[in-house]
Amino acid sequence: MNRATDRFEGLTVFLTVARHRSFRAAAAELGVTTGAVSQAIRALERRVGLPLLSRTTRRVGLTEAGERLHERLAPAAGEISAALEALDELRGQPVGLLRLTVPRTAVPFVIEPVLPRFRRDYPDVAVEISVDDALVDLAETGFDAGVRIGEDLAQDMTAVRLTPDLRWLVVGAPAYFAAHGRPEEPEDLLAHTCIRYRFQSAALYRWEFVRDHREITVHAPGTLTVNDADLAVSLARDGLGLAYMFDLAVAEDLASGALATALERHAPTGPGFFLYFPARAQAQAKLRAFIDTALAVLMPAGRRKPKETRAAS
């Protein structure tokens, strides 16, 4: 095809810059120079007759035209990529780059157990992991799949269970309970120091409980607020207040006696961690291989429910 009439020229570069919001990072991923990236973007902007990126010394953003183009291109690029990578099935061995988005709390329970075996069994698959607690649009950001707690999944995603259901506990150091007493009812927390968690959206996490088969929500008071779950547990371990955390994350501290629980009879149970992805992505050999490995490591057959793969709801 004549390069002058190739309407697709520069689009991969544009999508890569848009994803990273950086010419340098895009160049590194594409294996070219920053100058080559700039040249490709300028050529694309000349061709469409509109500026697509706004550049300052500190960041790269999308113009209105860039936003519109990216909104239409990103899903289409995902479809094309999936179609090409589906051909890997014909070659047998999974290859390519597997990009995953994972919250911090899932790293020790999903990534650390699974990744060594996956890398051993599938050395031809490169893996990129982004640790991010924010909910991520896979199509827009170019990730193949993500890990999230089941209740956070988008409705149009397919999900595979990676852990059993989680039990949410109020925990504190024995020294804290000795000094301040132990709450007996959820409302008693109003008289305690709670270590609160703030989402990237700026909303505070509400502590949920069950009483007489009804859900209760408490707006936990406190003068300590963090945006990192591991830090919340660490502060609770140091006796600075009470934390609200799922059982897997505090199991070792409870076993060692570094932490103790309160309000256990009101502790709710919720969905565990799931791997989620668009339904079409499951045809990719690299993702199928990761799913199979994760299930073998985390959910042996005896622990699986009859229907582990489902559409998120």
Side-chain angles (χ1 to χ4, degrees), residues 24-49:
R24 182 175 299 176
E29 178 177 325
L30 295 170
V32 299
T33 65
T34 304
V37 171
S38 297
Q39 183 177 354
I41 294 298
R42 286 196 298 269
L44 178 61
E45 289 177 328
R46 285 196 301 270
R47 196 162 78 246
V48 301

Side-chain angles (χ1 to χ4, degrees), residues 265-287:
R265 64 193 178 95
H266 297 298
T269 299
F273 287 107
F274 286 77
L275 185 77
Y276 71 101
F277 45 87
R280 58 170 173 73
Q282 195 169 0
Q284 300 179 59
K286 61 183 181 181
L287 181 57

Side-chain angles (χ1 to χ4, degrees), residues 160-162 288 290-300 304:
V160 176
R161 177 184 289 276
L162 299 179
R288 187 66 252 170
F290 186 83
I291 293 171
D292 292 343
T293 303
L295 290 178
V297 172
L298 301 174
M299 296 289 288
R304 296 182 202 172

Side-chain angles (χ1 to χ4, degrees), residues 148-154 270-274 310 312-313:
R148 290 296 183 272
I149 288 176
E151 63 189 18
D152 295 330
L153 301 179
F273 287 107
F274 286 77
R310 63 171 181 79
S313 59

